[in-house]
Amino acid sequence: MKSLILAGSALAMALVAGPAGAQNINNDPIYATVNLSAGFDNDPYTVDLSSGGSNAASELGSPCSGYIATSPDVRLVYDAGSLPLIISVNSKADTTLVVNAPDGRWYCDDDGGNGNNPSVRFNSPRSGRYEVWVGTYGSGEMHSATLNISELYSQ
């Protein structure tokens, strides 16, 4: 009986946690940890990186697409205010964007920015950690990209 209760508890925890995928939000970011507060200077804040990885972002759920790394590319620690938070990508390649927000949910985009560039907009952002991945459409492909973090506009 005790093992049945433990098995039931483990199943309930798996269902609450949602899809795990291969992404680990607690790994050190590949490129940078960025600390910003509402009204930050130098908007947009940019990070140059290479997009891509070997993990299918679709395993996180719809509408996630492309291939991303296991570790986040960038960790944003953000102190929110009244402005929106816009995370976008500039690249000559067709890129995708995956963000794990402070609410624990996954937010994904493909081509919601300019051209083939993705963008995720939080109209009422929460303070906390945003783990960010920039993906590509071919497994293992790497392309130059710039991650933009803004309160004013997407790139």
Side-chain angles (χ1 to χ4, degrees):
M1 180 71 155
K2 184 176 182 181
S3 62
L4 184 58
I5 292 170
L6 290 175
S9 295
L11 177 60
M13 290 302 290
L15 293 174
V16 170
Q23 281 47 64
N24 188 332
I25 63 171
N26 293 312
N27 280 359
D28 289 337
I30 297 168
Y31 295 96
T33 296
V34 177
N35 295 288
L36 296 173
S37 295
F40 59 89
D41 292 332
N42 300 323
D43 190 333
Y45 186 93
T46 62
V47 178
D48 292 328
L49 51 82
S50 291
S51 64
S54 58
N55 302 306
S58 60
E59 291 184 19
L60 297 170
S62 180
C64 299
S65 59
Y67 288 88
I68 57 178
T70 300
S71 297
D73 291 314
V74 173
R75 173 172 294 134
L76 169 61
V77 180
Y78 183 66
D79 185 21
S82 61
L83 296 171
L85 175 65
I86 305 152
I87 301 171
S88 61
V89 178
N90 274 345
S91 180
K92 292 180 180 177
D94 190 1
T95 54
T96 64
L97 183 60
V98 174
V99 179
N100 183 266
D103 64 4
R105 293 180 52 204
W106 296 94
Y107 297 84
C108 301
D109 187 57
D110 174 31
D111 303 341
N114 296 326
N116 289 332
N117 292 314
S119 180
V120 173
R121 180 185 178 103
F122 298 91
N123 287 322
S124 298
R126 294 182 180 198
S127 293
R129 278 180 27 182
Y130 292 80
E131 311 299 336
V132 181
W133 287 261
V134 179
T136 56
Y137 277 99
S139 177
E141 288 183 13
M142 304 293 279
H143 298 281
S144 295
T146 301
L147 179 73
N148 302 291
I149 303 166
S150 179
E151 296 175 317
L152 304 175
Y153 47 84
S154 60
Q155 297 293 308

